[in-house]
Amino acid sequence: DMKVTQMPRYLIKRMGENVLLECGQDMSHETMYWYRQDPGLGLQLIYISYDVDSNSEGDIPKGYRVSRKKREHFSLILDSAKTNQTSVYFCASSRTDFNSDYTFGSGTRLLVI
Amino acid sequence: AQKVTQTQTSISVMEKTTVTMDCVYETQDSSYFLFWYKQTASGEIVFLIRQDSYKKENATVGHYSLNFQKPKSSIGLIITATQIEDSAVYFCAMRAMSNYNVLYFGSGTKLTVEP
């Protein structure tokens, strides 16, 4: 079954704590993404990973970092979480083909208090 | 730079009618792909349909079809015979050759289908 899996689905953290969001895919897609979704703003790209240890900043990378040590796994890390990082985070993956669509995970709803 | 704009924040229609959701895009690229995604109430985001910029024919998948007007940089999503379960948020997105790894999304249109 081709899918992107995100863990956890829901997370509550205190301001200043570190946060780890994990994402896995079973399609051997080279490219993976982290987006955040806020009301009225659609999906904003945080980071993109082209393959293992080949990551690039997206449009809103400040306050985030990523790790990709295996093709099937892509992590988003928030060092010292802030309240304005409360959001829904989506991981996605795709082939490198120009016409490929994305496969999205179910999202992680993060609340920073 | 690429930009995708959906001006309709929300639409409400009666079941079994036809609805069109608007989307305009900006790109300097001559080659690009346009996508529509659906986000359900549970938060799941699924791919619906794609239009290739070099194709003149409008794409159709099931009861989804596109109205591609290239001179107007417009790609409308048409849903015919709407059903209650079509209620969702619909996102338009674009992938252009100059930055082909990235999909740029519009802000979404919330569709409510009423019985």
Side-chain angles (χ1 to χ4, degrees):
Chain A
D1 192 21
M2 302 184 295
K3 61 182 179 181
V4 174
T5 303
Q6 288 186 240
M7 295 293 289
R9 289 297 307 274
Y10 302 93
L11 189 60
I12 300 176
K13 287 287 189 179
R14 295 189 181 279
M15 197 166 56
E17 290 185 328
N18 297 330
V19 179
L20 173 65
L21 305 183
E22 302 197 83
C23 174
Q25 51 101 355
D26 59 4
M27 298 164 280
S28 295
H29 284 169
E30 299 90 344
T31 314
M32 297 186 73
Y33 311 81
W34 277 105
Y35 283 86
R36 66 177 278 177
Q37 183 180 32
D38 300 292
L41 295 180
L43 291 155
Q44 299 177 85
L45 180 64
I46 306 172
Y47 265 95
I48 177 172
S49 175
Y50 302 102
D51 212 325
V52 172
D53 284 330
S54 178
N55 306 317
S56 182
E57 295 180 345
D59 298 322
I60 53 163
K62 187 177 180 181
Y64 305 94
R65 61 183 175 94
V66 293
S67 175
R68 192 167 180 202
K69 298 301 182 183
K70 295 182 179 180
R71 176 172 282 191
E72 63 271 19
H73 192 250
F74 190 34
S75 300
L76 180 70
I77 301 123
L78 289 66
D79 294 315
S80 187
K82 300 174 179 54
T83 54
N84 62 7
Q85 293 178 308
T86 291
S87 187
V88 182
Y89 292 86
F90 284 94
C91 176
S93 72
S94 75
R95 300 192 313 269
T96 55
D97 303 352
F98 184 28
N99 62 357
S100 291
D101 60 284
Y102 284 13
T103 301
F104 281 88
S106 301
T108 294
R109 190 173 293 272
L110 172 66
L111 175 62
V112 181
I113 57 175
Chain B
Q2 275 52 251
K3 186 178 180 182
V4 178
T5 303
Q6 295 177 256
T7 56
Q8 299 160 306
T9 306
S10 64
I11 301 174
S12 183
V13 300
M14 300 301 293
E15 193 178 11
K16 300 178 184 177
T17 61
T18 296
V19 63
T20 299
M21 283 173 270
D22 301 328
C23 174
V24 293
Y25 57 91
E26 297 175 26
T27 181
Q28 301 299 320
D29 288 53
S30 59
S31 184
Y32 49 90
F33 291 88
L34 301 161
F35 302 81
W36 279 89
Y37 287 80
K38 174 184 179 180
Q39 184 173 33
T40 62
S42 67
E44 304 285 335
I45 301 174
V46 295
F47 164 69
L48 293 178
I49 191 169
R50 185 189 82 220
Q51 179 73 40
D52 303 349
S53 62
Y54 57 86
K55 290 188 177 179
K56 293 184 178 180
E57 309 80 39
N58 290 319
T60 298
V61 175
H63 76 144
Y64 302 107
S65 62
L66 298 177
N67 179 19
F68 181 40
Q69 299 184 60
K70 197 168 183 179
K72 295 183 179 180
S73 296
S74 170
I75 183 74
L77 174 68
I78 304 166
I79 307 176
T80 56
T82 52
Q83 304 163 9
I84 301 296
E85 48 268 35
D86 291 323
S87 296
V89 177
Y90 290 82
F91 290 98
C92 176
M94 175 174 65
R95 194 169 192 167
M97 177 61 84
S98 62
N99 195 6
Y100 69 92
N101 274 306
V102 180
L103 205 53
Y104 290 92
F105 288 87
S107 55
T109 297
K110 182 178 181 180
L111 174 66
T112 302
V113 181
E114 301 189 26

